[in-house]
Amino acid sequence: MVSKLSLRLRIFLFFGLLAAGAAALAGGALYVGWSRAAGALSPSPFVTAFFLFAFLNTGLAVAVWFLFDENIAKPIEKLAADLRLCAHSGVDRPVDAEAARYLGDLAPAAGAVSATLNAGVIDTAQQVARETERLQAETAQLTALLSEIPVATILMNAADEIVLYDAQAAEILSKVGQPRLKASVTEYLEAGALAAAHGALTEAEPETAFEIADANRARTFSARLKRLDTDGYILTLDPGTSVQTKPAARPLVYDFDLLETTGATEDQMSATLSDLCFVVFDSETTGLSTTTDDVVQIGAVRILNGRIVPGETFDTYVDPGRPIPPASTRIHQISDADVAGAPDFLAAGRRFHAFCRDAVLVAHNAPFDLAFLHRREAEMGVAWNHPVLDTVLISAMTFGITEEHTLDALCERLDATIPPEVRHSALGDAIATAEVFVRLLPLLEAKDLTTLGDVVAESRKYGRLIKSMT
């Protein structure tokens, strides 16, 4: 049990034990001295001496502990956080030698280790950058090629979860709901027809043609389903004239790691962090009251396999049904003209709820943003019962509660960039929070917090600590 306590708390308990032990010894010595005096003296001078000693001894212990905490314990925790950041998050940041100046040779030794790790990180980053550039060029060529083919293409895994979709497929799926990787194809297309097509596949005939309607049964498409050697399937849909032949430009959305997925995790709390889908979101409001103010913008991005999914974003203005105060507009630059004609909060909330299906919600100072959703969930007709993680608490768990945990501070600490032009927009802050979150994930795993349940339980501890300090 003691091994789970933080370093600083253990040191505090150590000094508290010293103070209590010294007081006990002094009390025992005074009692023996008084008893040997055989009643010649009244006990009151001994009692007074004991209390005076106990008070001065406790004050001395607290003073020494404070110096030790400031110059030894805090620097050790800071040094450990810097090394963990360098080792597990790929952030090229030198050890703060000034903060660890009283740790003797430990700071220079840690700095040497950090420099060696950083050199390896830089070399790896350069290799990754070159490979990423090559893959991006190939993806651009593939996107252009698929855009010229007049069929929609969807790659699915063995559980019928979406692994890849092109622009034509996105155009079709978006008529039912926002396209999402790892979502079941049956959220968008008729389940019975797809099941029948699966049943028609054989070793001799790994491909079949069939008709399939969308989930709303509003349109029917000519389709082909082909089994791949990778335990996946290619589904192509002929959009005919029901959708535009040249859809708006959007990236080819894919994650081939999802081919190995066998289905949704039944118990999210016991699932490892890398197996979960996260929706990182932010909202802009008419003010800072969660009971009297209203939302004017919602922005969100999705994270799968520890990576932000390009092309899968949620971004909408929200008509609050009231004028936006000028003071709020000066912060987020959203005016009454921007929200004119936008959906109201109930409609936007329902769309956002569909975007968050089967996901863990993540936000910076999550209670604020969630309060608006919970306040009107009955009117929306949905339940906001998703697991929630707060990057403020995760930062405290990772770097200690005495560090600064604002979004700007986290971005600077983790080398995440917030373009000034999108700062204080819902989508811009959501992207920044997502970039911070994916850098925090390996740091959590390095602290042996590998499942969602581990992180939620630890968050509650730090939530109580932070609340008691405010």
Side-chain angles (χ1 to χ4, degrees):
M1 186 66 179
V2 176
S3 62
K4 295 184 178 180
L5 300 177
S6 70
L7 173 66
R8 293 177 60 205
L9 180 55
R10 278 184 281 173
I11 290 175
F12 174 78
L13 293 175
F14 175 76
F15 277 95
L17 181 62
L18 282 180
L25 290 175
L30 290 172
Y31 175 77
V32 171
W34 171 73
S35 62
R36 289 188 175 183
L41 296 173
S42 74
S44 58
F46 291 94
V47 174
T48 301
F50 169 73
F51 280 111
L52 179 62
F53 171 82
F55 177 76
L56 295 176
N57 179 70
T58 302
L60 178 61
V62 169
V64 175
W65 165 78
F66 179 78
L67 291 174
F68 196 92
D69 185 60
E70 288 293 320
N71 298 294
I72 304 296
K74 281 185 180 179
I76 288 176
E77 283 199 340
K78 180 71 166 58
L79 195 61
D82 286 346
L83 287 173
R84 190 176 290 113
L85 187 65
C86 178
H88 299 285
S89 201
V91 176
D92 182 10
R93 187 176 301 281
V95 169
D96 187 356
E98 177 61 22
R101 61 187 180 277
Y102 296 119
L103 298 181
D105 195 43
L106 183 58
V113 172
S114 176
T116 302
L117 288 173
N118 284 335
V121 167
I122 292 173
D123 291 341
T124 302
Q126 290 173 343
Q127 295 174 11
V128 170
R130 288 193 295 268
E131 185 65 16
T132 300
E133 185 177 359
R134 182 184 67 80
L135 291 175
Q136 287 176 340
E138 292 180 355
T139 301
Q141 292 176 343
L142 180 58
T143 302
L145 176 63
L146 290 175
S147 298
E148 296 300 322
I149 300 175
V151 293
T153 303
I154 301 172
L155 174 62
M156 308 180 301
N157 62 18
D160 285 343
E161 295 173 336
I162 298 175
V163 175
L164 173 150
Y165 59 89
D166 65 2
Q168 286 93 333
E171 196 75 9
I172 292 173
L173 301 181
S174 62
K175 301 301 182 182
V176 178
Q178 185 149 350
R180 311 184 324 276
L181 292 181
K182 204 178 180 181
S184 174
V185 174
T186 56
E187 288 186 30
Y188 308 92
L189 300 173
E190 184 186 3
L194 184 61
H198 276 300
L201 299 178
T202 64
E203 291 295 329
E205 294 291 338
E207 184 174 354
T208 185
F210 63 107
E211 298 287 315
I212 190 169
D214 65 19
N216 295 334
R217 298 187 179 276
R219 293 162 297 156
T220 301
F221 306 96
S222 297
R224 297 190 72 85
L225 182 67
K226 181 177 181 179
R227 181 190 293 121
L228 303 177
D229 294 335
T230 57
D231 292 330
Y233 300 86
I234 285 284
L235 174 66
T236 58
L237 305 171
D238 185 354
T241 59
S242 61
V243 296
Q244 56 185 15
T245 56
K246 288 190 176 181
R250 62 179 294 148
L252 181 69
V253 182
Y254 63 92
D255 187 339
F256 293 121
D257 288 342
L258 295 175
L259 281 171
E260 301 177 4
T261 301
T262 57
T265 304
E266 292 184 4
D267 182 7
Q268 286 182 309
M269 288 299 172
S270 63
T272 59
L273 297 175
S274 58
D275 289 336
L276 291 166
C277 169
F278 300 95
V279 168
V280 185
F281 77 104
D282 184 69
S283 57
E284 299 298 333
T285 62
T286 58
L288 298 178
S289 172
T290 59
T291 57
T292 60
D293 284 304
D294 294 289
V295 173
V296 297
Q297 189 181 36
I298 303 174
V301 298
R302 295 181 80 236
I303 293 175
L304 282 173
N305 294 320
R307 298 185 293 270
I308 299 172
V309 181
E312 290 195 353
T313 61
F314 184 94
D315 185 21
T316 183
Y317 285 121
V318 179
D319 185 353
R322 58 188 284 188
I324 301 175
S328 298
T329 298
R330 282 194 293 271
I331 296 174
H332 49 52
Q333 307 302 313
I334 301 173
S335 65
D336 293 332
D338 292 320
V339 301
D344 64 16
F345 185 57
L346 300 183
R350 293 187 193 101
R351 282 182 50 216
F352 182 50
H353 188 271
F355 183 76
C356 299
R357 183 170 177 174
D358 298 325
V360 177
L361 298 182
V362 180
H364 194 77
N365 191 20
F368 177 81
D369 298 283
L370 285 170
F372 293 96
L373 298 174
H374 287 305
R375 194 176 84 193
R376 303 191 67 184
E377 67 178 347
E379 297 173 79
M380 289 181 196
V382 299
W384 290 99
N385 52 7
H386 306 66
V388 179
L389 295 180
D390 190 337
T391 48
V392 173
L393 299 182
I394 294 176
S395 175
M397 291 156 52
T398 306
F399 302 110
I401 60 176
T402 57
E403 293 291 330
E404 189 176 358
H405 304 298
T406 64
L407 183 56
D408 290 298
L410 276 177
C411 286
E412 181 179 358
R413 191 176 301 141
L414 295 166
D415 287 348
T417 303
I418 310 180
E421 63 272 15
V422 298
R423 184 69 172 100
H424 294 302
S425 73
L427 183 59
D429 284 1
I431 292 173
T433 304
E435 290 185 356
V436 163
F437 182 68
V438 297
R439 288 167 170 79
L440 287 171
L441 284 175
L443 300 181
L444 290 173
E445 293 174 350
K447 292 173 71 69
D448 202 27
L449 300 172
T450 57
T451 69
L452 178 61
D454 293 336
V455 179
V456 169
E458 195 72 6
S459 294
R460 287 171 181 159
K461 297 178 185 177
Y462 279 83
R464 289 192 292 268
L465 281 173
I466 291 176
K467 186 176 180 179
S468 66
M469 295 175 63
T470 58

